[in-house]
Amino acid sequence: MCFKKLGLKSLNDALLSKNDLFEKGEISEREFIESFNAFIPNASLDEIKSAWNTILGEFPLYRLEFFTNVSRKISSFLLSNTDAIHIDFLKINTTFFSKIFINVLKEFIFHLKWE
């Protein structure tokens, strides 16, 4: 479900400001999600989360395979602007999230030991 289906025509300054605070960890996930209720009061928190996760788009398996192959040859880090809401969604709805997370974490720890 996307935001338009919930009745939100576009993001506004208030929501963009809340997004900025959420990305910096200055407000909780719940406060961020509830900020949408002022603009789409009939939407449930789960519907808002679902709409928020639609911005992820798709992550085709071939991208993961490419990243995995490259990381075997050179130290690689997968950086993303995903947030806690996205991470929870990916944990539940993908088979490769934990594999990516564990591999990135192992690389990070390895580099910390060498520094």
Side-chain angles (χ1 to χ4, degrees), residues 29 34 41-42 45 66 76 104 114:
E29 174 184 320
E34 287 176 346
N42 295 325
L45 297 182
F66 173 79
S76 304
V104 169
W114 284 99

Side-chain angles (χ1 to χ4, degrees), residues 105-115:
L105 186 59
K106 284 179 183 176
E107 281 290 316
F108 180 71
I109 291 170
F110 174 77
H111 285 286
L112 285 178
K113 289 180 180 178
W114 284 99
E115 290 183 1

Side-chain angles (χ1 to χ4, degrees), residues 48-81:
I48 294 169
K49 278 185 179 182
S50 178
W52 182 249
N53 283 322
T54 62
I55 67 172
L56 287 172
E58 292 186 21
F59 191 87
L61 185 58
Y62 74 87
R63 287 186 185 164
L64 175 62
E65 290 168 348
F66 173 79
F67 179 76
T68 302
N69 289 333
V70 168
S71 66
R72 286 186 184 125
K73 298 174 185 161
I74 58 173
S75 294
S76 304
F77 295 93
L78 183 63
L79 302 177
S80 174
N81 65 343

Side-chain angles (χ1 to χ4, degrees), residues 3 10 16 23 36-37 39 42 45 47 50 70 73 79 83 85 88 105 107:
F3 284 113
S10 65
L16 292 172
E23 285 185 350
F36 284 86
N37 282 131
F39 305 99
N42 295 325
L45 297 182
E47 288 173 323
S50 178
V70 168
K73 298 174 185 161
L79 302 177
D83 54 47
I85 299 166
D88 289 343
L105 186 59
E107 281 290 316

Side-chain angles (χ1 to χ4, degrees), residues 4 18 20 32 36-37 74-75 91 95 99 101 110:
K4 286 185 180 182
K18 289 290 187 179
D20 187 48
F32 173 66
F36 284 86
N37 282 131
I74 58 173
S75 294
K91 283 179 187 176
T95 56
K99 183 178 179 181
F101 182 75
F110 174 77

